[in-house]
Amino acid sequence: DLNSWCVSGESITQENSASAQLDPNWQFTSPLKVGDEVEADLGGAFFAGKIAQVTGNTYNVVFFDGDRENGLQRDQIKLLNPPAAVEDEFDTTGMTPKEIKKMRKKMEKKKRK
């Protein structure tokens, strides 16, 4: 009960089912989509940026200072945040953040009807 738990001092850990199933190397193996926060390996040093475009198996990254690097391979990119437990109900590959936002609004509108 609640009182015995409070006295025991134990912590409650709720394991997210998605995180429990994540590959231990998820930062380098999870699929990437436009808008994901990443670090890109540019010759031995990692630099923070966001995925700007996905084309097949290559990725374009925009860095915090506005520089771009196009045509990066997946093994050159480290995903900073684990994938969401609930995936979008549509494929966001190649979409801009503005297009994704518009599509999500459209999907929400359909759900309300």
Side-chain angles (χ1 to χ4, degrees):
D1 81 337
L2 181 60
N3 286 334
S4 60
W5 172 78
C6 291
V7 173
S8 73
E10 293 178 25
S11 65
I12 296 177
T13 57
Q14 293 181 346
E15 186 89 18
N16 183 336
S17 63
S19 65
Q21 297 174 0
L22 277 179
D23 182 321
N25 201 24
W26 63 266
Q27 293 173 309
F28 296 97
T29 59
S30 294
L32 300 174
K33 63 184 181 301
V34 172
D36 281 346
E37 293 180 3
V38 298
E39 287 183 348
D41 182 0
L42 302 177
F46 281 89
F47 296 94
K50 286 189 177 187
I51 299 293
Q53 185 176 9
V54 178
T55 308
N57 293 326
T58 63
Y59 304 88
N60 296 349
V61 177
V62 175
F63 298 98
F64 69 94
D65 62 359
D67 284 351
R68 294 181 68 94
E69 189 69 31
N70 297 329
L72 294 175
Q73 299 297 314
R74 180 62 181 97
D75 62 356
Q76 294 177 276
I77 301 172
K78 177 181 174 183
L79 183 61
L80 295 181
N81 301 311
V86 177
E87 290 293 320
D88 287 323
E89 297 172 7
F90 55 93
D91 184 13
T92 60
T93 304
M95 295 175 75
T96 66
K98 187 175 181 179
E99 291 170 329
I100 294 170
K101 186 176 179 180
K102 186 176 179 181
M103 183 63 82
R104 283 189 180 133
K105 282 185 179 181
K106 196 176 194 180
M107 301 284 283
E108 281 298 316
K109 201 173 190 179
K110 281 185 180 179
K111 285 182 184 178
R112 285 187 234 140
K113 288 183 178 183

